[in-house]
Amino acid sequence: MLILLGLLAAAAASPSGGAVGRASEDLAARVEEGTDPGKVALAVLAPGAEGLREPFETALAAALARRGQTVLPLRGSQLADAEGAARALGADLLLRVHASLLGSTLALSGEVVPTRPNFFLQGSPAARGAGSRLLAVTTQSDEPTRALAVAARPAVGALRLLPLAELPGRVLAIAAGTVETGVRLAAVTQAGITLLDPHGGRLAFHRLTPQPPGPSVRDLAAVISIGAFGEGRLAYAVAGWPEGEILSAAGDDLKHVGWISLPPTSASVPITAGGAGTLFGAFIPGRGVLADVISAFADPGARPASMRELFGASAAPRPGRVAYAVLAADFTVRLLGPTLTPVLPDVPAVGVGFTLADLDGDGEPELVAPSALPGTSDRARVVRLGAQAAVTFESTDVEGSLVAGAAADLTGDGLDDAILAAALPDGGTRLWILTADARAEWR
């Protein structure tokens, strides 16, 4: 088996024909544009397809070396704080790369971060001397690439729903994803934004500024995403407010980076983010719901496709055929591919606390959601998506109503975990984690 994997890795990393080699050469060429030769710290991640990490690291290092770069691979614990590790090694740049297999497409998303010491920033050695550059490359996958991804698929245990944390106030939206210091959670309440670690420990809090004058919203609503928003990593918006905000989570602190203008008739609200990118939409003026307008980029000229209302959207951390799910006001979920085209039949009777997560590592996300029926308790269901959707798991009752969901690999086992927020009768919120990691233990 080890010999077979070695041969597959060599074939996949071959610059002449392998998909990994082709994608690596393309990404290295884009890194070279506007970059002088120097020391490049290379951090490669392949969540959900760990067998691709080493071939990509080898191929990228070789492609960069051919362009005159001295490559410093980052591994193990160095990946948790890649920027800090790059600076400690004296690197001029950090190239942070995420590799993923989206159906038959091999995708690389990269970020070039300046890490060279800056004379004018000697008092803040962790500050970036200049903005980062975002790069993206896609190519058709091949058999060696697919075999490597499948060969490293982690073992799957039985699903368990475990309590994660409790927050004061009702959570309006939650997000999960990778920031500079690792995987983090972010929750929006009426009071502000809370940043949490994978075990639910509170790291930072950012108070919401007083609501500016504008149309009042009877049912307060919000969206939040963790993604590549300039130098920030979090973006949120509250219904009825004219601006959203971008926050940096560097150093496990939440600091203001910039404002997002939110014209009422444009797709400018970052409503969700995942492996296929960020999805933008718009709140209906004076309403705590979204218009039927979605876009893969901030589009000032976007117009609603219909008059129907949307309750929310979710992006799969590891997309396959399904990359996004959009919930309409009739509690029906629309399933969209990476290009935002419908790919499977709609799923009916889905509650608002939903998310997409690849819980079993098969390369296709499942829908994790409550039912649309009201009550004093709720249950989390896992729906396998296909021509006919099928419920494959249903939890025991949890107190309150599940009102928000997100997904990421919180336990580090290579599988997505679903995070669900239950609004409690006393006005607080309890966060739950749905995981297949048998090692996971929380209070």
Side-chain angles (χ1 to χ4, degrees):
M1 181 64 175
L2 291 177
I3 295 175
L4 173 61
L5 290 180
L7 292 173
L8 290 172
S14 169
S16 60
V20 170
R22 292 194 305 272
S24 298
E25 286 290 329
D26 196 354
L27 188 67
R30 300 190 186 195
V31 171
E32 185 181 28
E33 297 174 2
T35 299
D36 295 327
K39 294 182 179 179
V40 178
L42 177 61
V44 179
L45 299 172
E50 286 298 327
L52 295 178
R53 197 204 70 78
E54 187 173 346
F56 262 122
E57 181 187 274
T58 301
L60 272 170
L64 291 167
R66 283 191 288 273
R67 289 164 172 80
Q69 306 289 357
T70 300
V71 182
L72 309 170
L74 303 182
R75 297 169 185 149
S77 61
Q78 292 175 312
L79 296 173
D81 182 12
E83 288 192 41
R87 291 190 177 94
L89 292 171
D92 302 303
L93 295 172
L94 165 66
L95 174 58
R96 183 167 24 214
V97 180
H98 280 75
S100 58
L101 196 59
L102 312 178
S104 62
T105 300
L106 184 62
L108 290 183
S109 59
E111 182 181 19
V112 179
V113 181
T115 53
R116 180 184 299 164
N118 188 301
F119 174 81
F120 298 101
L121 296 174
Q122 291 186 37
S124 303
R128 294 180 181 176
S132 61
R133 281 196 295 142
L134 302 178
L135 308 171
V137 168
T138 59
T139 189
Q140 189 76 13
S141 66
D142 53 17
E143 188 58 36
T145 302
R146 291 189 290 272
L148 282 168
V150 171
R153 185 178 297 167
V156 182
L159 286 172
R160 295 181 297 154
L161 187 67
L162 305 171
L164 182 65
E166 296 202 12
L167 298 175
R170 174 166 175 158
V171 165
L172 305 174
I174 58 174
T178 302
V179 300
E180 286 85 346
T181 48
V183 177
R184 296 292 182 261
L185 302 174
V188 187
T189 66
Q190 290 182 320
I193 315 299
T194 301
L195 184 69
L196 304 102
D197 67 24
H199 287 263
R202 288 176 228 184
L203 300 171
F205 180 77
H206 177 78
R207 188 172 300 279
L208 290 182
T209 56
Q211 183 175 359
S216 60
V217 176
R218 184 180 64 180
D219 297 321
L220 193 60
V223 291
I224 187 168
S225 304
I226 296 178
F229 304 109
E231 291 189 23
R233 286 295 179 269
L234 278 67
Y236 75 91
V238 180
W241 290 31
E243 293 181 313
E245 188 175 13
I246 297 175
L247 301 174
S248 167
D252 280 337
D253 195 8
L254 291 177
K255 294 182 179 179
H256 171 81
V257 173
W259 299 104
I260 307 170
S261 178
L262 304 177
T265 58
S266 67
S268 301
V269 178
I271 55 178
T272 187
T278 302
L279 204 60
F280 294 84
F283 283 112
I284 296 175
R287 303 288 307 279
V289 292
L290 297 164
D292 186 15
V293 51
I294 54 173
S295 174
F297 56 92
D299 184 1
R303 293 293 180 268
S306 72
M307 295 300 293
R308 73 174 180 172
E309 300 172 347
L310 305 179
F311 282 158
S314 176
R318 312 168 205 264
R321 184 169 38 168
V322 175
Y324 303 101
V326 179
L327 179 65
D330 63 357
F331 299 101
T332 297
V333 159
R334 219 183 332 164
L335 301 170
L336 307 175
T339 60
L340 304 185
T341 56
V343 290
L344 290 173
D346 293 350
V347 181
V350 174
V352 294
F354 74 102
T355 188
L356 290 171
D358 184 4
L359 299 167
D360 57 10
D362 67 350
E364 289 292 337
E366 288 78 50
L367 177 67
V368 182
S371 73
L373 299 175
T376 58
S377 63
D378 219 333
R379 292 187 177 190
R381 299 179 302 160
V382 176
V383 181
R384 182 174 294 280
L385 304 173
Q388 292 186 331
V391 176
T392 60
F393 172 86
E394 186 170 2
S395 73
T396 57
D397 288 351
V398 298
E399 184 182 14
S401 299
L402 297 174
V403 296
D409 180 9
L410 267 65
T411 69
D413 67 342
L415 300 171
D416 290 342
D417 306 300
I419 303 93
L420 303 172
L424 303 175
D426 64 3
T429 298
R430 181 173 294 130
L431 300 183
W432 296 83
I433 177 173
L434 181 65
T435 181
D437 189 344
R439 307 167 302 167
E441 293 183 4
W442 275 273
R443 54 180 177 273

